[in-house]
Amino acid sequence: MNIFKYKTIIRYVLCTFFICYAGSKAFANDENTIWYESKEEAFSAAKEQNKHVFLLLGNEKCSNCNIIKTYLNRPELKEIVDKGYILWYCDSKKSDEANSYDGMYPSAYIPLICIIDPNDPTSPLSHSRGLVSAKNLKTMLEDNQPTANENISDTTTTQAYISDNMLTLSNTFTDEVISIYTLNGLLIDLFPKKEYSITRVISSLPKGILLINSSEKWARKILN
């Protein structure tokens, strides 16, 4: 193959790549970590992939932002991110798309980190201001990663799900006591279940993974 043909092929490949990605406000760093710069694209991707949004709000002069990005490229954190998160970087000097989150936690410190459920974007699951350690960042990611509802110990046909801040429980028991805990073991709700099926308002309970235990010896992990 002569030089002219080789250069022609290279130009074609580069042009094709540009056409495919020119319309998307996303970029990849040297470690192939994808960062979205568009809120709409980030939330759309998160919903489609059943992931949470990791917002990093800063600016081009924010050295702490670069440190956070470096942390996220570490293998032990990147594995968590790839499995459960869509990364959204917002430059506060160029975009106002993250202003609503910035206003929730007013402070002069940057970056602002928010973990957001795309199905409930007005109530971040967790947030942090300023530089955090890699250890604390990993804990933050692990505690807030999306998790499908999971039976822990359940030989019954119990159905448990949350929709519109309502918990629904349905099984064959009509006299059991339900306890709800956080992953840290904090009891946050306790109530009797006297019917086969009940619904209960849980808008006051924290977002994230909850543990439901029954006096009838079944348990369920559920995502609020």
Side-chain angles (χ1 to χ4, degrees):
M1 180 182 297
N2 60 39
I3 297 298
F4 176 77
K5 289 184 177 180
Y6 179 78
K7 289 182 177 179
T8 301
I9 292 174
I10 293 297
R11 289 194 190 98
Y12 175 79
V13 171
L14 291 176
C15 287
T16 301
F17 179 86
F18 178 78
I19 291 171
C20 290
Y21 290 92
S24 176
K25 294 181 179 180
F27 64 92
N29 60 17
D30 293 339
E31 288 75 19
N32 295 320
T33 300
I34 303 298
W35 286 89
Y36 286 82
E37 292 186 310
S38 163
K39 178 181 180 180
E40 181 180 357
E41 290 186 2
F43 276 76
S44 177
K47 287 182 179 180
E48 182 179 338
Q49 299 176 41
N50 192 29
K51 295 181 178 182
H52 286 162
V53 174
F54 179 96
L55 165 63
L56 181 66
L57 174 64
N59 58 59
E60 60 185 10
K61 294 183 179 181
C62 171
S63 58
N64 288 340
C65 296
N66 293 328
I67 294 175
I68 295 297
K69 290 179 180 179
T70 300
Y71 288 162
L72 293 175
N73 287 326
R74 293 183 179 181
E76 65 273 21
L77 272 73
K78 191 174 188 303
E79 181 179 358
I80 300 172
V81 169
D82 289 345
K83 182 178 179 180
Y85 292 92
I86 294 296
L87 303 179
W88 170 30
Y89 174 72
C90 184
D91 188 326
S92 61
K93 302 295 185 182
K94 299 179 180 179
S95 172
D96 61 1
E97 287 191 316
N99 280 4
S100 59
Y101 300 107
D102 194 29
M104 291 180 188
Y105 316 106
S107 171
Y109 293 103
I110 56 173
L112 167 64
I113 296 172
C114 287
I115 293 180
I116 308 162
D117 182 344
N119 297 306
D120 187 15
T122 61
S123 304
L125 303 173
S126 182
H127 82 281
S128 177
R129 276 283 191 181
L131 181 62
V132 297
S133 67
K135 179 180 179 180
N136 289 342
L137 184 60
K138 182 181 179 183
T139 298
M140 187 179 187
L141 291 168
E142 289 177 334
D143 288 350
N144 293 283
Q145 58 186 329
T147 303
N149 295 347
E150 175 185 348
N151 291 339
I152 300 173
S153 175
D154 191 356
T155 58
T156 73
T157 56
T158 298
Q159 294 184 2
Y161 62 89
I162 295 174
S163 178
D164 296 328
N165 291 319
M166 298 291 292
L167 169 65
T168 297
L169 295 175
S170 178
N171 56 28
T172 57
F173 300 118
T174 57
D175 189 13
E176 59 181 328
V177 177
I178 304 297
S179 308
I180 303 180
Y181 297 84
T182 66
L183 280 181
N184 295 327
L186 177 66
L187 178 64
I188 54 177
D189 202 1
L190 178 69
F191 57 91
K193 175 179 171 292
K194 298 293 186 179
E195 300 176 1
Y196 291 123
S197 180
I198 67 165
T199 57
R200 183 174 179 84
V201 178
I202 58 166
S203 56
S204 62
L205 299 189
K207 298 294 183 180
I209 301 171
L210 304 178
L211 302 178
I212 302 177
N213 288 337
S214 166
S215 58
E216 292 294 336
K217 308 302 180 183
W218 62 264
R220 177 69 60 87
K221 182 188 293 184
I222 194 168
L223 179 64
N224 183 16

